[in-house]
Amino acid sequence: MLNDPRSHGLWEKTAPSPPPAPRLEEVVTADVAIVGGGYTGLSAALHLAERGVDVRLLEAAEIGFGGAGRNVGLINAGMWVMPDDFPRELGPLYGERALDLLGQGPYLVRELIETHGISCELEKNGTLHCAAHADGMKELEERARQWQKRGAPVTLLNAAETEQRTGSSAYSGSLLDMRAGTLQPLAYARGLAHAAVKAGAKLHTGSAVVETGEANGKKFVRTAHGQVSADWIIVATDAYSTGPWKQVRLEQVHLPYFNLATAPLGDNLRRSVVPGREGCWDTKEILSSFRMDQAGRLIFGSVGALRGTGTAIHKAWARRSLKRIFPQLGDVEFEAEWYGLIGMTDNALPRFHKFGRNVVGFSGYNGRGISPGTTFGKVLAAHVLGEISEAELPLPPTDTTEPGFRSLKEAYYEAGAQIAHFAGERF
Ligand SMILES: Cc1cc2nc3c(=O)[nH]c(=O)nc-3n(C[C@H](O)[C@H](O)[C@H](O)COP(=O)(O)OP(=O)(O)OC[C@H]3O[C@@H](n4cnc5c(N)ncnc54)[C@H](O)[C@@H]3O)c2cc1C
């Protein structure tokens, strides 16, 4: 995308085309203007258009340009934080409401994919959170206990069961979550875009919003070449936010995360490396993730940016790691490499922002946006339609606050990952 093979990597090579979405070049009115063409914006556009609402979606670059086109493709239920952290941070009412909604999120993703016939390599075999050490197993036991008391279909697996599913003896156990799964993330975003267009939404790419305001009783968003006046504005720009809602990006600390994809594995290896195609990640502080795509490529990722000295360091570390985790692979070459920036909030929970009357948005999914973005986009549609009041939303409104030492923390994450990976897996 935008001629950068390290921005969307494999996903751009294997995703079906997006629908036509010409640059906005006129001054128009609509019921709702949506800013941002990722999961949040596209889900809101689809759900509104299906209800006959006149929607214009403006995307600065291309559909899926932000996190939606760069991620690992793990369709998770909930967030990174422990389930009990939701009520602890948000209070029992919002906490359990948000957790319940996010726990169901993967089912909404599956339903949309099936209803709209979205071709995006959906796998429904669950995810495996793998214990990299004894402390990791303790964390998983606690996580299992907290989900199970809420009736979630999660199961602890021992080392042998984990080896059977992953093809690796590197883990002392894992937590299987059958709500979850994997997909091709850019294909899912483009599929949502096709469904939204079919339902009547008008999408415009290459249309960065540079200004917003209010005139003649309506809100407006302005791009370099056009303007949309509307009753509502949905802000769905998250970690890649530019323009009038840059503050959404500034309240987050960017954590870089890269992925490397092998060439399609041979039949024997496919039978031994994650044969059930669960999406996997580990309990390490600088975590690693791995999953298969439909063509049998192994996609391996971790914290770090593939730029400057990072590219060689992270790739060399990944080769050493794969030798330890999957010795059966032998020496691997990578067919695609890419990275993106994950927006982390200070309490690792998402945010609901009200930027003014009828200007609303969700953001800050902390590396978990596929089902939360889809779910909260649908919630925003219901809110705009008057079906969910502000008090019934899954999160309370908060102001955007820039964390102290944000730039320093971002530099620390990027450099810290390089140092850890330079030294890691050598012995
Ligand atoms: C490397 C990486 C790995 C990840 N792994 C996973 C994973 O495995 N599972 C998971 O669930 N989540 C994962 N995530 C997180 C997930 O991708 C995001 O949470 C999700 O994409 C957020 O969706 P969104 O629609 O809110 O924002 P985005 O997908 O980021 O979309 C926002 C869009 O807004 C546009 N925009 C910004 N400013 C403007 C403007 N002024 N005018 C017009 N448009 C604008 C941007 O160009 C962008 O396309 C990962 C993220 C990254 C970066």
Side-chain angles (χ1 to χ4, degrees):
M1 216 177 270
L2 303 182
N3 296 323
D4 180 358
R6 289 208 183 108
S7 64
H8 299 78
L10 176 68
W11 303 139
E12 183 151 33
K13 288 189 190 180
T14 62
S17 308
R23 190 169 81 173
L24 181 75
E25 288 189 337
E26 43 186 348
V27 175
V28 293
T29 54
D31 297 324
V32 182
I34 298 175
V35 189
Y39 306 127
T40 310
L42 291 165
S43 170
L46 170 61
H47 287 99
L48 284 166
E50 280 184 324
R51 299 290 299 279
V53 176
D54 182 10
V55 176
R56 292 271 177 166
L57 183 148
L58 305 179
E59 161 56 45
E62 293 182 36
I63 296 299
F65 175 79
R70 305 166 191 249
N71 67 64
V72 185
L74 305 172
I75 316 166
N76 298 110
M79 308 295 290
W80 291 113
V81 294
M82 288 282 185
D84 283 357
D85 287 344
F86 275 74
R88 196 172 296 132
E89 283 285 328
L90 300 171
L93 181 69
Y94 279 112
E96 293 300 336
R97 191 190 281 165
L99 190 60
D100 182 50
L101 204 59
L102 295 181
Q104 303 294 323
Y107 300 131
L108 173 65
V109 173
R110 289 179 188 182
E111 186 194 310
L112 291 177
I113 290 170
E114 280 155 18
T115 305
H116 298 284
I118 297 175
S119 173
C120 62
E121 307 186 13
L122 173 66
E123 297 285 351
K124 300 193 262 188
N125 281 352
T127 49
L128 291 166
H129 191 174
C130 300
H133 36 64
D135 281 355
M137 202 58 207
K138 277 203 196 102
E139 181 203 318
L140 294 185
E141 282 162 8
E142 182 54 21
R143 203 175 271 278
R145 190 189 66 74
Q146 293 186 17
W147 272 124
Q148 282 164 353
K149 80 176 177 194
R150 294 175 170 90
V154 301
T155 318
L156 272 175
L157 305 182
N158 63 27
E161 291 164 328
T162 303
E163 180 169 359
Q164 207 177 7
R165 284 178 183 263
T166 58
S168 171
S169 59
Y171 304 105
S172 41
S174 60
L175 183 65
L176 172 66
D177 189 336
M178 283 311 292
R179 296 167 294 183
T182 63
L183 48 61
Q184 209 280 26
L186 182 59
Y188 174 54
R190 288 180 173 178
L192 285 177
H194 277 286
V197 168
K198 203 167 162 200
K202 296 183 187 75
L203 273 45
H204 301 279
T205 53
S207 302
V209 171
V210 291
E211 192 189 341
T212 185
E214 192 160 348
N216 306 322
K218 283 205 180 273
K219 308 280 171 192
F220 69 82
V221 285
R222 193 169 287 151
T223 68
H225 302 275
Q227 175 177 312
V228 182
S229 296
D231 300 319
W232 283 82
I233 298 174
I234 289 179
V235 180
T237 50
D238 198 40
Y240 283 83
S241 209
T242 60
W245 296 287
K246 182 100 193 284
Q247 76 236 52
V248 172
R249 177 268 177 270
L250 294 177
E251 82 169 331
Q252 305 174 350
V253 174
H254 274 176
L255 178 75
Y257 199 90
F258 69 86
N259 279 290
L260 304 165
T262 67
L265 303 180
D267 288 346
N268 278 345
L269 283 173
R270 273 194 227 185
R271 278 192 285 273
S272 95
V273 177
V274 207
R277 299 185 177 207
E278 296 89 341
C280 308
W281 74 99
D282 67 27
T283 54
K284 287 186 179 168
E285 201 162 337
I286 300 183
L287 69 104
S288 304
S289 55
F290 52 94
R291 52 157 297 187
M292 304 296 290
D293 80 345
Q294 206 161 55
R297 299 178 183 90
L298 175 65
I299 299 161
F300 186 69
S302 185
V303 177
L306 299 182
R307 57 185 168 196
T309 48
T311 309
I313 289 174
H314 297 308
K315 284 172 76 174
W317 167 84
R319 284 198 189 91
R320 296 195 298 276
S321 292
L322 284 173
K323 270 211 165 118
R324 178 181 59 81
I325 302 171
F326 297 112
Q328 65 269 44
L329 285 175
D331 290 324
V332 291
E333 283 308 319
F334 301 116
E335 199 183 87
E337 56 193 61
W338 68 103
Y339 76 100
L341 302 168
I342 296 177
M344 310 292 288
T345 58
D346 59 0
N347 63 357
L349 289 175
R351 297 284 189 269
F352 168 64
H353 293 309
K354 193 173 171 185
F355 299 97
R357 190 184 61 84
N358 290 3
V359 185
V360 289
F362 283 103
S363 54
Y365 305 123
N366 291 269
R368 286 276 173 116
I370 297 176
S371 57
T374 307
T375 302
F376 285 168
K378 184 179 179 187
V379 166
L380 286 170
H383 182 51
V384 164
L385 287 163
E387 294 169 353
I388 297 181
S389 71
E390 192 176 313
E392 291 166 326
L393 290 172
L395 297 171
T398 47
D399 293 331
T400 51
T401 322
E402 188 170 346
F405 306 109
R406 182 185 51 74
S407 305
L408 209 61
K409 285 178 189 159
E410 290 176 352
Y412 171 77
Y413 285 148
E414 186 164 344
Q418 282 193 35
I419 292 165
H421 285 166
F422 180 75
E425 304 280 358
R426 287 190 185 272
F427 310 104

